[in-house]
Amino acid sequence: MKKLNSIIQKLGSNRLAWSMFALAAILLFNLIVYPEFFKITILDGHLYGSLVDIFRNGAPLMVLAIGMTLVVATGGVDLSVGPVIAVTGAVATSLIGLEYGSTNTPLFLAVALALGVAALCGFWNGILVSRIGIQPIVATLILYVAGRGVAQMITNGKIMRIFYEPYFVFGSGYFLSLPVSLYIVLLVYIVAWLFTRRTSFGLYVESIGINSEASRFTGINEKNVKLLAYTLCGLCAGIAGIIISSNVKSADGNNAGLWYELDAILSVALGGTSLSGGRFSFAGSIIGALIIQSLTTTIYSTGVPPQVIMLVKALVVFLVSLLQSENFRKMIGSLLNSRKGAIQ
Amino acid sequence: MLNIKRIGLLLLVAGLALSACQTAAPTEEAAPAEQAAPAEAVEAPAEEAMTACEAKPDMTYETMTIGFAQVGAESGWRDGETKSIRDTATELGVNLLFSDAQQKQENQIKAIRTFIAAGVDAIGIAPVVTTGWETVFQEAKDACIPILLVDRGVDASVPEDLYVTFIGSDFILEGKNAAIELAQLIPDGGDIIELEGTTGAGPAIDRKKGFEDEIAASYPNINIVASQTGDFTLAGGKEVTAALIKKYPDIVAVYAHNDEMALGAIQALEEAGMKPGTDVKVVSIDGEKAIFQAMVEGKANVTVECSPLLGPQFFEAALTTVQGGTVDRWIKSNEGIFRQDTAADDISSRVY
């Protein structure tokens, strides 16, 4: 019993564990109400099933959450990622062009340029925050408002449809029976992990998030670290934008990446990274993104009526947040203990 | 610290300058319209007090001047409507004053006042919002200029006597037609799924009602196993369809509230190894060019048109009204139903 208690205590102190617990609970719920949720079959030489869908449809959010984690860890936030997704998709599709089976720009160049534009968007946010000193929420709000306008301008306000098969690989292709988008997430995660944990960059980010002023006094170039964090976040939004536009084979300036900024921030929060900055966990944010995506897929497959979807989502997010709150757990703990005492 | 203060001060100054611009600009712009409108308003009621609005039975298309206050150019559908209004005016010889409000009500109000000042014979408007039109519509009425609403309505706060008619689609009828078409495609019945538009949006509510009422009343062998929102977007339609066909792999048809979601459903069905258009019939509403392409490829079956080509009906109603005749309170737009077999011929004539 004591051993169990200590395990629970250890688990309780690990925020990642609570996120994983929440994810497991959602999946378990599916297993009970709809057992076929876990059925995975082979179709055309690749895996096919609801679980695969979660990973595939959740890929853009997972990449986005990684970028957002960096910005949040510096004590900031990036509201403009949704519109940046729309801009990236618009740039990529307009470079590829609307002809059947051919492209105006070599695929590699089109994607690289689109990602470059996304990184530039992030760089712009970074300049506003680090050099001009505008509050992150205000600074990124500027691009949040302007971004969709820019995307509309590129696409002439229309939905652009493309017919160039090789571009579709990013969003709907498969490699070794797994979705290509999943490999992209893995790659971004590994690069981000190496870059932050095998260099001092991660440490700088955390120290700025905890105390920006003190970090500056210890000689950390706070401005450049922030600038880089926002630029990388923009780049991640760009990668997400490529996956999304490639998946739907079109660019929609109005709707591509709509509300993704909120989901990305929520993923980071659910993953246990404090929104006031400091210690961060990419793995946590990825699990946070998976929680949100499995929730969406669950809602579709269990037939929640459209009118109450938002309510159900909010309720689950509320429960997960409660689960992660140390204060709440202590409250429940002391409540249980006092009852136990009364019985004895 | 000093730095931050300085920046704060800078922002404050910039903010003040900015807000000054914002308050200054509209008054400047608004001035001419305001000057013009009251002048008209003062003259007009004085005359009307004695003589009520006179009909002009001799009016023809060539002698008629019409003001049209468009919402903006936010979609291909809207562009199609604008083109229809402009082209029809040219064709009939109507003198058209056209204004694009860029999604702003104040611009539409300004446009109407300009039209009144210019002494047009009738005004058409696609109201950007449903409320707040009483004053300016009353000004038009006082000036004996009839108002015709096009494709978008106003709510009950605007008295009915301030506008003569509403020209637009019957979304319930569209849903009903979609149900009839779908039933013909699957004579043996079966399970189907429905992709709804944005929850709470007018067209989504009516297209659901029209469709489901018709299915319930006339086709007991068709079973709607799931109805979920795809937010009128391709991405939404695709994700929802992908999730639903895993739970209901035996569906025989998909009904989507717009073409965009149907295109998403087609992608999802193909990726699941099904054949949209053959194994699973696809019926949607709108009549966008892209769905005709899908029909030509055999991937979609029917689209029920929601036509933006309201020009001919609008000018006919305007002329009738100006001549003193009466028109229906709701003129339903002429809408077609397009099927796979004729899609190849139809596609070249689609303008939106």
Side-chain angles (χ1 to χ4, degrees), chain A residues 53 56 100 247 293 301, chain B residues 238-239 246-247 271 297:
Chain A
D53 269 6
R56 215 187 97 176
Y100 254 93
N247 180 31
Q293 188 59 46
S301 50
Chain B
K238 183 173 185 176
E239 190 176 343
K246 292 190 175 70
K247 192 173 181 191
E271 284 172 15
E297 290 165 9

Side-chain angles (χ1 to χ4, degrees), chain A residues 66-137:
Chain A
I66 290 173
M68 187 65 81
T69 306
L70 272 181
V71 167
V72 166
T74 65
V77 69
D78 187 351
L79 292 182
S80 71
V81 288
V84 171
I85 286 175
V87 170
T88 317
V91 171
T93 51
S94 60
L95 285 174
I96 285 168
L98 309 178
E99 288 91 37
Y100 254 93
S102 68
T103 171
N104 293 337
T105 323
L107 185 62
F108 164 76
L109 196 65
V111 172
L113 280 174
L115 291 181
V117 170
L120 201 67
C121 290
F123 185 78
W124 159 261
N125 285 332
I127 290 286
L128 291 188
V129 172
S130 70
R131 292 308 195 280
I132 305 185
I134 302 179
Q135 290 260 347
I137 205 164

Side-chain angles (χ1 to χ4, degrees), chain B residues 114-125:
Chain B
T114 314
F115 294 153
I116 296 172
V120 299
D121 299 305
I123 293 174
I125 176 172

Side-chain angles (χ1 to χ4, degrees), chain B residues 176-236:
Chain B
K176 186 180 172 186
N177 284 337
I180 295 167
E181 289 297 320
L182 190 114
Q184 282 171 3
L185 290 167
I186 45 168
D188 300 332
D191 291 349
I192 64 165
I193 58 172
E194 178 179 2
L195 301 175
E196 299 177 23
T198 309
T199 309
I205 294 168
D206 289 352
R207 286 172 184 175
K208 182 180 168 75
K209 183 176 164 36
F211 181 83
E212 291 180 357
D213 286 355
E214 181 65 18
I215 293 285
S218 314
Y219 306 102
N221 60 349
I222 294 177
N223 183 20
I224 306 170
V225 288
S227 183
Q228 187 56 267
T229 176
D231 283 319
F232 280 137
T233 66
L234 197 159

